[in-house]
Amino acid sequence: MEKNDIFNTNLLQLPLKAQVADEGVVQNIAPVAEPTALAMREGLVVDVLAQDGGVLRRLSNVTPKKCEKLASGFLHRGEITLLCGDGGVGKGQFVAQIAKSLTTGESTEFFPQTPEGTGNIVILAGEDPTDTVLCPRMDAAGADLNKVAVIAPDTYYEEMHKMPQLGDPDLMNWIAAGNPLLLVIDPFQAFLPDSVNLNNRQQIRRLLQLLRMQAQQHGFAILLVTHTNKNPGACGRKRLNGSGELWDTARNVLIMGHAKNGNKIYVSHEKSSYDAPADTILFTTETVTVKGVETARAKFDSTSDWKDEDFCREKPDRAAPKYAGVQSGILAMLNAAPDKRMVSKELQRLV
């Protein structure tokens, strides 16, 4: 054992007492008053790292593994992704496109990379009705409905005689029973336990740590859907509604909004802990009819290197309607004129 081992009592400052085996390996560690002095007297370096995966593990004994990406890197298995945007911006339509990718395994314009895995989607639906909104929306997007399951508060209450709250073992068991590849919590606020305040950093951290442990244990990704705040002029992280712990804990953060020019909606990949953020997705929505029910569907438009801040600071093109009106007036005047020509040099100069 090297004398300059970085894992020793001087660095860790642990109150340890060691019993030394014949081969010089420290065993049976117990608290004492002055461990550093003891180690110095014995001429030993106290090594408290387990070699087989204990509480402290040497990185030299860890086998690196790749975190499986889903939806072209917008999600990662075993990790939390945060999706935030104003109400009505189209978050549900975008989630439906994610569901199509993960349930069918098809590459799409939204997610051109073929998914590394396909599976089930479990949705905790706190706002959208299952029959009139979620089912038609998922169907219109092309998701495999056999692989999409919904837990709604009203039906959960009828069955369990209590509201679904994150951290409740019964709810977690129902989620695990769906064997999900992705768990969607929409919106996150609707399923907070009574004891958790959205703005309390420590409470949110403990809850998110629990969710992440469940995700890694069962091998699914989590998508937390939240609303942005009403702070005018805010962009990026400052648009987040609730504790900043949401941003810090999430491995991916997506922000949605309306472009100020045109009718496009953007999905900006603001944070990625595993890869470079993906290009921003631009899409529009269209109304379609599925099995006699009208619903909205996202229609891919293009990608952009703009981020949320760029869209927030974009200046509305107020001159465009004015110029269009002038152009229309000129064309109408020419059509009314003899031979569709200017009636005088003076008019031509003014135009």
Side-chain angles (χ1 to χ4, degrees), residues 10-315:
N10 289 316
L11 177 64
L12 296 176
Q13 297 181 348
L14 296 175
L16 306 175
K17 180 178 180 180
Q19 294 181 2
V20 184
D22 293 338
E23 62 273 18
V25 178
V26 178
Q27 298 175 341
N28 300 326
I29 297 173
V32 295
E34 297 180 352
T36 304
L38 172 65
M40 291 175 63
R41 286 197 306 271
E42 298 295 334
L44 297 173
V45 175
V46 180
D47 188 340
V48 297
L49 288 188
Q51 301 295 323
D52 56 354
V55 174
L56 294 173
R57 301 177 63 190
R58 294 182 187 275
L59 289 183
S60 58
N61 291 338
V62 174
T63 301
K65 66 177 182 179
K66 181 178 68 172
C67 187
E68 182 179 335
K69 64 174 63 176
L70 306 171
S72 294
F74 283 87
L75 306 164
H76 287 86
R77 189 191 285 264
E79 298 290 359
I80 295 174
T81 292
L82 181 65
L83 172 64
C84 50
D86 296 338
V89 74
K91 296 187 294 294
Q93 287 77 40
F94 183 68
V95 171
Q97 292 297 324
I98 293 176
K100 174 185 179 180
S101 173
L102 298 188
T103 60
T104 66
E106 300 175 4
S107 61
T108 68
E109 290 181 301
F110 285 87
F111 310 111
Q113 298 178 13
T114 302
E116 296 183 15
T118 59
N120 300 327
I121 312 291
V122 173
I123 302 175
L124 300 186
E127 292 181 344
D128 295 325
T130 304
D131 49 0
T132 59
V133 176
L134 283 177
C135 184
R137 179 187 292 163
M138 291 289 172
D139 203 359
D144 185 345
L145 300 187
N146 287 319
K147 295 182 179 180
V148 182
V150 177
I151 298 177
D154 52 352
T155 54
Y156 188 89
Y157 185 84
E158 291 176 3
E159 179 72 23
M160 304 298 295
H161 307 293
K162 59 181 177 180
M163 296 300 291
Q165 294 185 343
L166 296 171
D168 185 334
D170 289 331
L171 177 59
M172 302 311 295
N173 286 338
W174 277 108
I175 292 171
N179 189 28
L181 177 61
L182 173 64
L183 169 65
V184 179
I185 306 175
D186 184 13
F188 177 57
Q189 295 92 319
F191 298 93
L192 289 179
D194 296 334
S195 59
V196 175
N197 186 324
L198 182 63
N199 296 300
N200 188 300
R201 193 176 185 92
Q202 291 183 338
Q203 293 174 357
I204 291 296
R205 175 182 296 180
R206 286 194 293 267
L207 180 60
L208 294 180
Q209 287 175 340
L210 173 63
L211 290 176
R212 186 170 180 269
M213 288 170 58
Q214 293 286 336
Q216 294 190 340
Q217 178 182 350
H218 296 285
F220 57 80
I222 296 178
L223 181 63
L224 299 182
V225 182
T226 68
H227 296 294
T228 47
N229 58 41
K230 305 301 181 183
N231 184 7
C235 57
R237 185 187 181 108
K238 293 182 179 179
R239 293 187 65 196
L240 186 66
N241 188 22
S243 168
E245 193 64 34
L246 287 168
W247 183 289
D248 294 338
T249 302
R251 299 297 86 192
N252 294 284
V253 176
L254 314 176
I255 296 182
M256 293 183 60
H258 287 284
K260 294 180 181 178
N261 295 308
N263 62 343
K264 297 177 184 178
I265 300 165
Y266 64 85
V267 185
S268 174
H269 196 179
E270 294 288 306
K271 173 185 174 182
S272 176
S273 297
Y274 288 102
D275 307 289
D279 285 342
T280 294
I281 293 175
L282 296 170
F283 70 91
T284 58
T285 58
E286 58 184 357
T287 301
V288 296
T289 301
V290 177
K291 298 174 183 176
V293 178
E294 283 193 354
T295 187
R297 179 173 62 191
K299 182 180 179 182
F300 179 83
D301 180 87
S302 58
T303 60
S304 170
D305 59 359
W306 275 26
K307 294 301 179 185
D308 181 63
E309 181 177 1
D310 300 307
F311 288 101
C312 290
R313 303 195 187 288
E314 181 184 16
K315 300 294 184 181

